[in-house]
Amino acid sequence: MAAGPPRVATGMTTTAPRPEVLRYTAFSSTPDGGNPAGVVLDATGLDDSDMLAIAADLGYSESAFLTAPPEGLGGREGRAYSIRYFSPKAEVPFCGHATVATAVALAERTGPGELLFATPAGTVPVEVTERDGTVRATLTSVEPHVEEIAGDLLDEALASLGWPAADLDPAFPPRIAFAGARHLVLAAATRARLADLAYDFARLEALMHRLDLTTVQLVWRESATVFHVRDPFPVGGVVEDPATGAAAAAFGAYARELGLVPEDAVLTLHQGEDLGRPGELTVTLRADDPRVRVGGAGTRIG
């Protein structure tokens, strides 16, 4: 499922009482870091318009909505769910930070351990742990893939960002990567290039709809296993996503497939520093499993 054309949020359309909307941040142990997400632990009775309206009212990059699991999903009773994700403008197929936020919210109520989510992109297991008061959740992505981008489309992406081609890191070829959602991966040659983000919102949004992208994953390599990343998200009605688990999973798959990191590797991604909401994402790659694991801390806001 793609992000699709934006749907206008006009408020709740059902007569059911508005459900409790929790607020959690993912990829940070403090409420002022990471990426905030709305979490509705019981979205039974809500239709698409209701979920979109709640996400729009909340204004976070995504909100997650839980209902009963589909028949045959598996998982332990009370620890398996269907989950959907809405930005303020549209539904998205998969959202890593909202999955982490939801898992942390559930763990605070039912304890750490294994969770299983049926997402529009596929089945996503999550392992939740707690240590010294910090709750961490690690999701395992659906099987990823990586594809090339046509030269004219790359040129349009760079023009939309206002990035000269000379500002790209030649060691990291532009690619579209998928691990539940599609992301265009572009690597900056310098940290200063990454920090200077002022793009044409409408132009980039139009290109992203054309390519069925959820975000553009902008990266800068600090060391062999440490990266700084940013994610423009105009298709969701948000200038920038503060910490992006789906893009982190896609980037892990990209880096492994292109031989930029070992097949067995643990990568650290720093995101949100340029927005004043620092977060840290841990990306784990295994040689014996094509899927990508993305983990981080989470906590309730307010």
Side-chain angles (χ1 to χ4, degrees):
M1 182 184 300
R7 288 169 286 176
V8 177
T10 57
M12 295 281 287
T13 59
T14 68
T15 58
R18 183 186 178 100
E20 182 180 15
V21 181
L22 305 173
R23 294 163 173 81
Y24 277 75
T25 193
F27 305 117
S28 174
S29 59
T30 61
D32 58 351
N35 196 353
V39 178
V40 176
L41 295 180
D42 185 3
T44 305
L46 299 181
D47 63 19
D48 290 11
S49 296
D50 296 329
M51 289 184 272
L52 185 62
I54 289 171
D57 289 344
L58 195 57
Y60 293 153
S61 57
E62 278 103 357
S63 296
F65 299 84
L66 293 185
T67 54
E71 185 175 352
L73 177 65
R76 291 171 48 196
E77 185 175 354
R79 301 189 69 85
Y81 300 88
S82 294
I83 187 169
R84 294 175 69 185
Y85 313 96
F86 284 80
S87 79
K89 289 180 72 171
E91 184 173 10
V92 298
F94 177 66
C95 174
H97 88 270
T99 302
V100 167
T102 301
V104 171
L106 289 169
E108 289 184 349
R109 289 154 178 80
T110 61
E114 296 281 351
L115 295 164
L116 195 61
F117 294 115
T119 83
T123 302
V124 175
V126 181
E127 171 71 23
V128 186
T129 60
E130 188 275 332
R131 183 175 180 180
D132 298 331
T134 297
V135 181
R136 291 181 59 88
T138 300
L139 64 89
T140 299
S141 77
V142 299
E143 189 162 338
H145 58 79
V146 179
E147 63 189 67
E148 295 192 8
I149 178 171
D152 60 327
L153 298 174
L154 174 59
D155 290 343
E156 176 63 13
L158 294 175
S160 300
L161 291 167
W163 283 26
D167 284 356
L168 295 178
D169 185 342
F172 288 74
R175 293 288 189 275
I176 294 172
F178 169 91
R182 287 165 56 86
H183 306 266
L184 172 60
V185 180
L186 298 174
T190 66
R191 181 67 178 90
R193 172 72 278 176
L194 185 68
D196 183 13
L197 181 61
Y199 66 92
D200 186 325
F201 190 97
R203 187 174 182 178
L204 185 60
E205 180 184 20
L207 177 66
M208 291 175 67
H209 279 301
R210 183 178 175 187
L211 292 173
D212 192 21
L213 301 177
T214 298
T215 74
V216 178
Q217 173 83 329
L218 306 175
V219 308
W220 173 72
R221 187 173 203 163
E222 177 182 313
S223 69
T225 59
V226 178
F227 298 83
H228 294 254
V229 301
R230 302 184 72 174
D231 282 83
F233 187 32
V235 295
V238 177
V239 172
E240 183 176 352
D241 208 14
T244 319
F251 175 71
Y254 157 92
R256 178 176 55 193
E257 179 162 317
L258 271 66
L260 301 168
V261 298
E263 290 187 342
D264 278 303
V266 178
L267 313 178
T268 300
L269 274 57
H270 295 287
Q271 191 173 354
E273 293 176 350
D274 298 294
L275 295 173
R277 293 196 62 90
E280 183 175 296
L281 302 85
T282 301
V283 176
T284 303
L285 305 172
R286 299 181 181 176
D288 62 350
D289 189 345
R291 300 174 300 172
V292 181
R293 288 155 179 82
V294 177
T299 191
R300 187 163 186 170
I301 300 172

